[in-house]
Amino acid sequence: MTELVQHWSDGKVYAGTSGARAPITNPATGQVTAQVALANVDDARTVIAAAAAAYPQWRDTSLAKRTQVLFAFRELLNSRKKELARIITSEHGKTVPDALGEIERGLEVVEFACGIPYLLRGGFTENASTKVDVYSIRQPLGPVAVISPFNFPAMVPMWFFPIAIAAGNTVVLKPSEKDPSASLWLARLWAEAGLAPGVFNVLQGDKAAVDELITNPAIKSVSFVGSTPIAQHVYATATATGKRVQALGGAKNHAVILPDADLDLAADSMVNAGFGSAGERCMAISVCVTVGSIADELVAKVAERANNLKTGDGTRHTDMGPLVTKAHREKVASYIDASEAAGAKVVVDGRAVRPDGAPDGFWLGPTLIDHVNTDMSAYTDEIFGPVLSVVRVETYDEAMALVNSNPYGNGTAIFTNDGGAARRFQNEVEVGMVGINLPIPVPMAYYSFGGWKASLFGDAHAHGIEGVQFFTRGKAVTQRWLDPSHGGINLGFPQNR
């Protein structure tokens, strides 16, 4: 018998009624380690109902009390993050240090949410009209849904739920069925921190769970991170039912290397951003755009570094772990096959990797492909694996046109020692997050995370002030405390005097 990862509803585990299960696999061994419950519609409605029932009391809980719970959660998470990191590694495959890194970035959002009293502060105008005062307040939405992907089972949910909870909402988190155990671990931590039952809930499942979350009238907003086709579906369906939606989609991130760049810095950055977490990051650099005559030298530097990386079990002293599933490993490998067949040069071939791990793990080593052109599938598609494509251009203008013509606009970077070129790039590029001599420009929690074009559907980015605004709605109050004398009858439109 394998362990069953269940739902979390009203402050306790909930097995559900569907009986449907999916396997949870350790990618480093290929072995099934547990099963996850897959919700049916009734299960989803049960969990949503728990969030709806808890909302009125949590909405009316003081900011002081909410903040105390947030601080307690932060302290518990910080003290036990190594335990959570090991859980992530066992189901996702990323190395333990990489898993710790994603938890640290999620903690930044928890810390930001601890300042919610200031962030929800309204405004007040005395005597806007004679003896009339006007003030503004921000109030929570109600039960909200967070649908998160497999690649960051801790960090991505924490982009959303700390702010949502701090602002007075209740949450239903639907994690990926590939690595769902982190979500239950976080639920138990919330309970230990003193969060009231029903404020944070976990709904395990697949499409049936998602479809209920994005259509159920009790859910007031949906925060989604995943592929662009699913993001489009979530956005179109949920907004049609009147919900607020922030749906973050796919990416094809380019790094532009100008001739004056520090090529050692650029090579290090391409390896770090291209192969970290086996390339399973929406902010991974997947296209290296070399400008001018530097391509041969840069490719040689990247290849040297990539060949020295150690691929293997993430619990050992390795640089890069396996891919999340066998099917995904085969799909990523097919892009290498297609590029080679189309005439590109495979400089470093991850298909031949010798991993430090079990033979049945889902291994694919760092791969560097040179002379890629824009009609190859390795360029057009979001591979989501450790494959870095090199596209050669002659001028800055060609590079800019390449980046801006891409349908995605999540992240990008430029490497240069020319401040004017960098400033021009940040101004002209049609991408939501820009790095200058920095390959993965994920902003701090007090700024907002989000892309442009097909990388985001909706008006609000994740976390930061935009996150606070997304999980609250404004209310303007106009008041007058009358003197004993009555103002009299006047049917005209109110005027300020």
Side-chain angles (χ1 to χ4, degrees), residues 138-224:
R138 297 202 69 83
Q139 296 182 319
L141 305 178
V144 301
V146 176
I147 304 169
S148 65
F150 77 85
N151 59 325
F152 287 103
M155 185 186 74
V156 167
M158 282 193 280
W159 281 353
F160 305 106
F161 69 65
I163 297 174
I165 289 172
N169 302 280
T170 56
V171 172
V172 178
L173 167 63
K174 206 300 285 183
S176 170
E177 61 274 26
K178 295 181 177 68
D179 47 10
S181 294
S183 62
L184 274 189
W185 189 92
L186 289 165
R188 292 187 173 96
L189 206 70
W190 272 120
E192 189 173 344
L195 189 67
V199 177
F200 182 79
N201 307 274
V202 179
L203 178 65
Q204 310 287 3
D206 48 18
K207 187 177 185 298
V210 170
D211 285 346
E212 183 61 26
L213 286 173
I214 63 179
T215 57
N216 191 294
I219 296 294
K220 303 306 179 185
S221 74
V222 176
S223 302
F224 171 88

Side-chain angles (χ1 to χ4, degrees), residues 27-30 93 311-314 316 318 320-323 325-326 329-330 333 350-365 386:
T29 65
T311 301
D313 191 317
R316 305 176 187 178
T318 56
M320 194 183 87
L323 294 179
T325 64
K326 183 177 181 180
R329 187 265 173 212
E330 298 307 315
R351 295 169 296 185
V353 69
R354 294 183 177 179
D356 180 12
D360 292 330
F362 310 137
W363 308 113
L364 186 70

Side-chain angles (χ1 to χ4, degrees), residues 87-157:
I87 292 171
I88 293 170
T89 296
S90 70
E91 294 183 351
H92 175 278
K94 66 177 65 176
T95 66
V96 171
D98 192 19
L100 280 168
E102 79 157 275
I103 297 166
E104 291 282 359
R105 296 309 301 268
L107 263 169
E108 292 173 6
V109 183
V110 178
E111 291 162 356
F112 174 78
C114 286
I116 202 68
Y118 178 81
L119 299 169
L120 292 182
R121 186 180 62 175
F124 188 95
T125 301
E126 183 181 28
N127 219 34
S129 188
T130 303
K131 297 184 179 180
V132 173
D133 305 326
V134 181
Y135 56 96
S136 63
I137 55 179
R138 297 202 69 83
Q139 296 182 319
L141 305 178
V144 301
V146 176
I147 304 169
S148 65
F150 77 85
N151 59 325
F152 287 103
M155 185 186 74
V156 167

Side-chain angles (χ1 to χ4, degrees), residues 88-415:
I88 293 170
T89 296
S90 70
E91 294 183 351
H92 175 278
K94 66 177 65 176
T95 66
V96 171
D98 192 19
L100 280 168
E102 79 157 275
I103 297 166
E104 291 282 359
R105 296 309 301 268
L107 263 169
E108 292 173 6
V109 183
V110 178
E111 291 162 356
F112 174 78
C114 286
I116 202 68
Y118 178 81
L119 299 169
L120 292 182
R121 186 180 62 175
F124 188 95
T125 301
E126 183 181 28
N127 219 34
S129 188
T130 303
K131 297 184 179 180
V132 173
D133 305 326
V134 181
Y135 56 96
S136 63
I137 55 179
R138 297 202 69 83
Q139 296 182 319
L141 305 178
V144 301
V146 176
I147 304 169
S148 65
F150 77 85
N151 59 325
F152 287 103
M155 185 186 74
V156 167
M158 282 193 280
W159 281 353
F160 305 106
F161 69 65
I163 297 174
I165 289 172
N169 302 280
T170 56
V171 172
V172 178
L173 167 63
K174 206 300 285 183
S176 170
E177 61 274 26
K178 295 181 177 68
D179 47 10
S181 294
S183 62
L184 274 189
W185 189 92
L186 289 165
R188 292 187 173 96
L189 206 70
W190 272 120
E192 189 173 344
L195 189 67
V199 177
F200 182 79
N201 307 274
V202 179
L203 178 65
Q204 310 287 3
D206 48 18
K207 187 177 185 298
V210 170
D211 285 346
E212 183 61 26
L213 286 173
I214 63 179
T215 57
N216 191 294
I219 296 294
K220 303 306 179 185
S221 74
V222 176
S223 302
F224 171 88
V225 179
S227 69
T228 287
I230 305 302
Q232 288 176 305
H233 167 72
V234 168
Y235 179 76
T237 305
T239 54
T241 66
K243 305 183 195 309
R244 290 186 178 185
V245 181
Q246 45 185 180
L248 284 67
K252 195 70 179 180
N253 303 322
H254 295 58
V256 175
I257 318 298
L258 295 189
D260 69 328
D262 181 329
L263 294 189
D264 287 315
L265 171 64
D268 288 344
S269 299
M270 294 305 95
V271 170
N272 294 338
F275 306 133
S277 197
E280 293 172 324
R281 294 172 176 162
C282 69
M283 288 296 283
I285 292 295
S286 56
V287 181
C288 175
V289 184
T290 63
V291 179
S293 60
I294 61 168
D296 288 343
E297 184 179 359
L298 180 63
V299 167
K301 288 178 179 290
V302 173
E304 178 186 9
R305 289 158 170 79
N307 279 320
N308 287 325
L309 294 179
K310 186 176 182 180
T311 301
D313 191 317
T315 62
R316 305 176 187 178
H317 295 291
T318 56
D319 299 301
M320 194 183 87
L323 294 179
V324 68
T325 64
K326 183 177 181 180
H328 187 54
R329 187 265 173 212
E330 298 307 315
K331 180 180 179 182
V332 174
S334 74
Y335 284 102
I336 307 172
D337 299 339
S339 299
E340 195 170 38
K345 181 181 180 181
V346 180
V347 181
V348 179
D349 193 344
R351 295 169 296 185
V353 69
R354 294 183 177 179
D356 180 12
D360 292 330
F362 310 137
W363 308 113
L364 186 70
T367 299
L368 177 63
I369 307 177
D370 195 7
H371 298 285
V372 172
N373 59 50
T374 56
D375 60 1
M376 294 180 182
S377 60
Y379 179 80
T380 58
D381 296 358
E382 183 184 26
I383 299 176
F384 224 62
V387 179
L388 179 64
S389 299
V390 178
V391 177
R392 301 179 178 220
V393 299
E394 291 301 318
T395 67
Y396 167 91
D397 289 334
E398 287 181 76
M400 178 60 71
L402 200 67
V403 177
N404 284 348
S405 64
N406 195 273
Y408 298 107
N410 207 45
T412 189
I414 187 170
F415 287 80

